[in-house]
């Protein structure tokens, strides 16, 4: 396994990023991975390594790069409930400043970067994301329907009545989609409404609540972590990628 710390030229500067990919040469399908609201940190690097071990070039950008290199704020080794209020008091203004227009400018840059890497195979890519990264993944897929073949979002803020017109941008997605929702984030009724919107938009999707989980269940450095939820995430993500990227 090889890893690199990189800088990606964007319209607004240079985004620091982490990449993991198999050793031994050759070219591998590209996967763009968006972090959760706590940003790029060791647990995301470990998840990128895990995914790269299945034969992918995985790129994890610091989408907060306008505010500094990752981590943009100091994070404890384990993020417990008592630390969250102070952390989110500092992070929410950064998340709010990451407007859809900024996110789409950055997505253009990230996909151009992947296309230019000698380790990345030609053809379509996949995008996956966690928490706010799940919404960024969907927006990236909608903006690049000819480039993104698969998109996955986990415990993301994706609901049927999202301000700004979720149904409108969903209709531009041609990728296969998987959404894994935390049980604490979405009721069965809300899931039914969301899946109805996905159906109406013609999105090829699976969208389900992961039993017994709370928001952030994939993140092993938080008190929301659920090992069974993380396993279910890999059980859904890996077949999706294999079926679309090979």
């Amino acid at each position: 396994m090889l890893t690199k710390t990189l800088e990606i030229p964007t319209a607004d500067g240079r985004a620091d990023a982490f990449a993991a990919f198999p050793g031994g040469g050759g070219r591998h399908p590209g996967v763009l991975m968006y972090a959760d609201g706590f940003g790029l940190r060791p647990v995301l690097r470990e998840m990128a390594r895990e995914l790269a071990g299945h034969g992918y070039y995985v790129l994890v950008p610091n989408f907060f790069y306008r505010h500094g290199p990752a981590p943009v704020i100091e994070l404890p080794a384990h993020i417990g409930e008592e630390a969250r209020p102070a952390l989110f008091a500092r992070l929410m203004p950064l998340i709010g400043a990451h407007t859809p227009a900024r996110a789409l400018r950055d997505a253009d840059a990230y996909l151009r970067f992947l296309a230019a890497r000698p380790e990345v195979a030609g053809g379509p890519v996949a995008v996956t994301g966690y928490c706010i990264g799940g919404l960024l993944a969907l927006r990236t897929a909608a903006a690049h329907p000819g480039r993104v073949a698969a998109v996955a979002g986990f415990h993301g803020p994706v609901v049927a009545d999202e301000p700004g017109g979720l149904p409108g941008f969903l209709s531009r997605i041609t990728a296969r989609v998987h959404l894994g929702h935390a049980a604490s984030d979405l009721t069965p009724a809300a899931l039914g409404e969301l899946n109805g919107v996905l159906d109406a938009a013609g999105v090829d999707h699976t969208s389900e609540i992961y039993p017994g989980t709370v928001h952030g269940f994939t993140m092993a450095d938080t008190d929301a972590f659920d090992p069974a939820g993380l396993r279910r995430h890999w059980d859904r993500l890996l077949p999706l990628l294999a079926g679309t990227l090979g």
Side-chain angles (χ1 to χ4, degrees):
M1 182 64 55
L2 299 177
T3 62
K4 287 186 178 181
T5 300
L6 305 161
E7 286 195 341
I8 303 173
T10 77
D12 298 328
R14 300 183 70 84
D16 52 305
F18 176 82
F21 51 97
R27 304 176 73 195
H28 313 282
V31 179
L32 173 60
M33 178 183 286
Y34 286 115
D36 63 355
F38 293 119
L40 176 56
R41 60 196 192 281
V43 70
L44 269 298
R45 295 182 177 91
E46 183 54 38
M47 293 176 78
R49 291 186 189 97
E50 174 75 17
L51 184 52
H54 293 273
Y56 301 101
Y57 182 104
V58 184
L59 179 68
V60 192
N62 168 28
F63 58 79
F64 290 139
Y65 69 90
R66 292 173 182 84
H67 307 280
V72 291
I73 68 169
E74 185 177 353
L75 296 169
H78 182 81
I79 301 169
E81 188 64 32
E82 69 286 348
R84 287 176 181 269
L87 294 176
F88 274 109
R90 298 179 64 187
L91 286 169
M92 288 307 295
L94 309 188
I95 294 171
H98 198 62
T99 62
R102 280 187 172 185
L104 292 181
R105 288 199 303 272
D106 289 349
D108 290 342
Y110 303 152
L111 294 182
R112 284 197 305 271
F113 184 85
L114 275 174
R117 296 301 301 177
E119 305 93 347
V120 177
V125 301
V127 188
T128 185
Y130 305 88
C131 182
I132 186 63
L135 183 57
L136 296 177
L138 285 170
R139 291 193 181 279
T140 299
H144 298 272
R147 180 85 172 108
V148 178
V151 59
F154 301 94
H155 47 83
V158 182
V159 294
D161 58 351
E162 182 204 336
L166 180 63
F169 86 72
L170 284 179
S171 67
R172 299 193 294 273
I173 294 176
T174 59
R176 288 175 55 189
V177 173
H178 174 72
L179 300 176
H181 309 282
S184 66
D185 287 347
L186 212 61
T187 65
L191 176 68
E193 293 176 5
L194 174 60
N195 289 347
V197 170
L198 291 163
D199 289 335
V203 178
D204 180 4
H205 72 279
T206 58
S207 174
E208 61 181 325
I209 294 170
Y210 286 21
T213 57
V214 299
H215 184 79
F217 62 82
T218 60
M219 296 293 130
D221 63 346
T222 76
D223 56 2
F225 178 56
D226 183 89
L230 179 63
R231 288 194 300 272
R232 192 182 187 98
H233 144 281
W234 289 121
D235 288 344
R236 299 297 190 266
L237 179 58
L238 294 175
L240 175 68
L241 301 187
T244 52
L245 304 184

